[in-house]
Amino acid sequence: MRRDHGGNIDEAARRYGGTDWIDLSTGINRRPWAVPPLPGAAWQALPTATALTHLINVAAAWFRCDPTCILPVAGASAAIQVIPRILPRGSAHVLSPSYNEHAASLRQAGWQVTETPSPDHMSGADLAVIVNPNNPDGREFTADSLVALAGRVGHLLVDESFADPRPDLSVAPALPENCLVLRSFGKFWGLAGLRLGFVIARPTLLAAIAERTGPWSVSGPALAIGAAAMADHDWADETVTYHSEACLRLDKIACRAGWTPVGGTHLFRLYDTGDALAAQEQLARSQIWSRRFPYSGNWLRLGIPGSRAEWARLSQAIAS
Amino acid sequence: MRRDHGGNIDEAARRYGGTDWIDLSTGINRRPWAVPPLPGAAWQALPTATALTHLINVAAAWFRCDPTCILPVAGASAAIQVIPRILPRGSAHVLSPSYNEHAASLRQAGWQVTETPSPDHMSGADLAVIVNPNNPDGREFTADSLVALAGRVGHLLVDESFADPRPDLSVAPALPENCLVLRSFGKFWGLAGLRLGFVIARPTLLAAIAERTGPWSVSGPALAIGAAAMADHDWADETVTYHSEACLRLDKIACRAGWTPVGGTHLFRLYDTGDALAAQEQLARSQIWSRRFPYSGNWLRLGIPGSRAEWARLSQAIAS
């Protein structure tokens, strides 16, 4: 069964009409790292061990962890499907509300899943799952608190899909032995179509995952583009600056319309709109797509506009 | 543990030196379909259901089967890892010698694997695995004989990774209920770095596989390029013609050097060289990489050269 997700802009366009949509329904950066022309070999040849090692080394510098603890995968989603099947099945405590694919994938693999609002209630679980910063509400957990949590559970899975602008939050540099960290490439670098992500964990855990994903699970273009983009620290600095200012600006626009900021990350903001369906439809009439949640009638999540034109359209649409 | 594979051209280059290698160690077409500039959305946005459906419809026309029976995956390898885990575990009979990843992946998933030289010995198996045409020896099995085999086993997995030039061999149009067919995009279209393949099976089997691979398992570029390439039937016709002639030509060159053709497909040829290691080293001195097999001291497999310059270098290297 298909779970509720963002990224369904094609359905929105069919429902509401129009061809000039701004998709703010995801947390994917709308100012992507610019993909240069690729060498033909990236498309044609099987991905080589050399290209894989290069990406891992660049990623290790970005994540500030040991290269032997990094496994590139075809998107964080791929890892979310596999991890429940390489750990000994048992009880999983999953922070909630959060990205719904974790609980769904664990249940599918036969885990006993408890959704819980706080890490305080996770002690003794065979597996604890935390998204940090959390999606959609932006709750943050310090690296120290997660290291401590790792000491109270069987395994700890920390999904850091939105942590690239917040290296201070990452548990990757400390990496407890029983911890698995997920990182997404597509969101911060704005290239979600590429399908690239990383698992950061001790080598024995990584070997079990790699055995399931098989040889060549990451595409040649993903290896080449990932390595080039993640080495571009100037671009990353500018991106963090833009998104920091953009968050303040978006919150201000929302407040002016009577929405209450609930939280968010550098890559999306969450608002209590009073009536999420009405707010979503209001924006959709201006061909701006947003994200509602099945468990809340009030919450609406918005990604960050990527250009002056997008800001202008959004301001007008919210105020209208 | 990493199994023995082709596609290790970077290691060959390190061992023998030189920077101008012709990689004939794989069966990947060296005259790839030409990738046009992609729309930014293919990289940036999450792959949409619309793009996925379009690829499936184009693929259904090429495979001559129902679109509901097609699941795009991130390369045939991805499916080889997952299929042993969605079928009820038991005894698997795998045609041998063949592509070694099938037996390895089944054993890893806890199957009792018997490698057997003929489909005649597979009756009663919970799972029969046939590569058709077979890699590396090119053995062919008629679609009718495979439909009959399906009637004598629990499930039948047919790996048609090299069948694109031989639609007459494909069991996809008949598709018995207990049959899973694998197709590779990277080999015939020469774009192995893209990671695209297909499983063709009844919808209930596909749903179990999709549940394991998760949402967005195929990249945006793979959806876009796959759909465009597989609709280009003129290119496919020319490619089959080129490779048909190329096989005859390569066999002739090999025979002149005293090698005996063992078999092959449109995309590679297999030779009994008398001494595979010596033959491989002879070609490597001219920076041409070939494929040996751990189970044969005589066999050498060669992909098909892609240009006049490559033919000239290979002819000279074999004769030297």
Side-chain angles (χ1 to χ4, degrees):
Chain A
M1 207 195 57
R2 228 27 206 253
R3 263 88 67 173
D4 169 63
H5 287 128
N8 52 350
I9 183 71
D10 51 340
E11 286 168 36
R14 265 195 299 276
R15 187 161 8 133
Y16 294 94
T19 56
D20 185 24
W21 282 78
I22 303 172
D23 185 4
L24 301 183
S25 74
T26 79
I28 299 165
N29 181 0
R30 293 181 64 76
R31 299 162 64 91
W33 190 78
V35 175
L38 290 180
W43 301 107
Q44 292 155 25
L46 284 169
T48 62
T50 305
L52 188 68
T53 302
H54 178 53
L55 172 63
I56 288 172
N57 287 332
V58 170
W62 180 255
F63 299 140
R64 297 168 299 135
C65 68
D66 194 275
T68 61
C69 296
I70 298 182
L71 177 72
V73 291
S77 275
I80 291 173
Q81 304 307 318
V82 169
I83 287 171
R85 300 176 195 272
I86 62 126
L87 298 177
R89 220 175 295 174
S91 66
H93 286 221
V94 179
L95 187 79
S96 175
S98 190
Y99 182 56
N100 61 8
E101 198 67 31
H102 288 289
S105 170
L106 284 161
R107 286 199 179 96
Q108 186 66 34
W111 287 72
Q112 185 69 37
V113 175
T114 307
E115 304 194 35
T116 173
S118 161
D120 300 341
H121 306 122
M122 292 183 174
S123 297
D126 295 313
L127 173 67
V129 181
I130 305 262
V131 179
N132 189 32
N134 192 36
N135 169 16
D137 62 6
R139 288 175 66 193
E140 297 176 3
F141 304 91
T142 64
D144 284 350
S145 75
L146 294 174
V147 169
L149 176 60
R152 301 195 302 270
V153 297
H155 284 91
L156 172 64
L157 174 59
V158 185
D159 179 346
E160 299 185 351
S161 283
F162 293 100
D164 292 290
R166 290 294 305 275
D168 58 301
L169 295 178
S170 178
V171 76
L175 198 64
E177 207 167 312
N178 61 339
C179 184
L180 301 102
V181 179
L182 299 186
R183 302 288 296 228
S184 164
F185 176 79
K187 296 177 184 76
F188 181 67
W189 283 274
L191 298 169
L194 195 58
R195 308 319 296 139
L196 177 62
F198 300 88
V199 183
I200 303 169
R202 297 299 170 96
T204 46
L205 286 168
L206 295 187
I209 297 169
E211 192 60 59
R212 295 287 184 122
T213 55
W216 315 300
S217 65
V218 176
S219 72
L223 294 179
I225 293 169
M230 295 179 80
D232 187 351
H233 291 195
D234 288 345
W235 179 92
D237 287 345
E238 285 166 28
T239 297
V240 172
T241 303
Y242 174 86
H243 280 79
S244 301
E245 293 172 358
C247 289
L248 297 174
R249 182 172 175 184
L250 190 51
D251 285 358
K252 209 183 290 177
I253 292 170
C255 285
R256 244 185 274 138
W259 297 357
T260 308
V262 176
T265 70
H266 281 74
L267 291 159
F268 58 78
R269 309 305 290 169
L270 183 67
Y271 302 108
D272 184 332
T273 63
D275 183 341
L277 181 57
Q280 183 174 59
E281 291 193 327
Q282 178 185 334
L283 297 184
R285 283 192 291 274
S286 298
Q287 295 183 51
I288 294 170
W289 194 229
S290 58
R291 181 71 196 283
R292 287 191 297 128
F293 298 91
Y295 51 79
S296 169
N298 298 334
W299 284 5
L300 197 72
R301 196 188 68 187
L302 289 180
I304 306 295
S307 67
R308 290 166 65 110
E310 291 185 6
W311 281 108
R313 265 176 65 186
L314 179 66
S315 305
Q316 202 155 18
I318 291 187
S320 69
Chain B
M1 207 196 56
R2 227 30 206 253
R3 262 88 67 175
D4 169 64
H5 287 127
N8 52 350
I9 183 71
D10 50 342
E11 287 169 36
R14 266 196 297 276
R15 186 160 6 132
Y16 294 93
T19 56
D20 185 26
W21 282 79
I22 303 172
D23 187 3
L24 301 183
S25 74
T26 78
I28 300 164
N29 180 0
R30 294 182 63 77
R31 298 162 65 93
W33 190 77
V35 175
L38 292 179
W43 301 107
Q44 293 154 25
L46 284 170
T48 62
T50 306
L52 189 67
T53 302
H54 178 54
L55 172 63
I56 288 171
N57 287 332
V58 171
W62 180 255
F63 298 139
R64 296 167 301 134
C65 67
D66 194 274
T68 63
C69 296
I70 296 183
L71 177 72
V73 291
S77 275
I80 291 174
Q81 303 305 318
V82 169
I83 288 171
R85 300 177 194 273
I86 62 125
L87 298 178
R89 218 175 298 173
S91 67
H93 285 219
V94 179
L95 187 78
S96 177
S98 189
Y99 182 54
N100 61 8
E101 199 66 31
H102 288 289
S105 171
L106 284 160
R107 286 199 179 99
Q108 185 67 32
W111 288 72
Q112 185 69 39
V113 176
T114 307
E115 303 194 38
T116 172
S118 161
D120 299 343
H121 306 122
M122 293 183 174
S123 297
D126 295 312
L127 173 66
V129 181
I130 305 260
V131 180
N132 188 34
N134 191 36
N135 171 14
D137 62 6
R139 288 174 66 191
E140 298 176 2
F141 304 91
T142 65
D144 284 350
S145 74
L146 294 174
V147 170
L149 175 60
R152 300 195 302 270
V153 297
H155 284 91
L156 172 64
L157 173 59
V158 185
D159 179 346
E160 298 184 351
S161 283
F162 293 100
D164 293 289
R166 289 293 305 276
D168 58 302
L169 295 178
S170 178
V171 75
L175 198 65
E177 206 167 313
N178 62 339
C179 184
L180 301 101
V181 179
L182 299 186
R183 301 288 295 229
S184 165
F185 175 78
K187 296 176 183 77
F188 180 66
W189 283 274
L191 298 169
L194 195 59
R195 310 317 298 142
L196 177 62
F198 301 88
V199 183
I200 304 169
R202 296 300 169 96
T204 47
L205 285 169
L206 295 186
I209 297 170
E211 191 58 61
R212 296 284 185 125
T213 55
W216 315 301
S217 65
V218 176
S219 72
L223 294 178
I225 293 169
M230 294 179 79
D232 188 351
H233 291 194
D234 287 346
W235 180 91
D237 287 346
E238 285 165 29
T239 297
V240 173
T241 303
Y242 174 85
H243 280 78
S244 301
E245 293 173 357
C247 289
L248 298 175
R249 184 173 170 183
L250 190 52
D251 285 358
K252 208 183 290 178
I253 291 170
C255 286
R256 245 186 273 137
W259 297 357
T260 309
V262 177
T265 70
H266 281 73
L267 291 160
F268 58 79
R269 309 304 290 169
L270 183 67
Y271 302 108
D272 185 330
T273 63
D275 182 343
L277 181 58
Q280 184 175 58
E281 293 195 325
Q282 176 185 339
L283 296 184
R285 283 192 290 274
S286 299
Q287 295 183 51
I288 295 170
W289 193 228
S290 57
R291 181 72 197 281
R292 287 190 298 128
F293 298 91
Y295 50 77
S296 168
N298 297 335
W299 283 5
L300 196 73
R301 196 187 69 188
L302 289 180
I304 306 294
S307 67
R308 287 167 66 110
E310 291 185 6
W311 280 108
R313 265 176 64 187
L314 179 67
S315 304
Q316 201 156 16
I318 291 187
S320 67

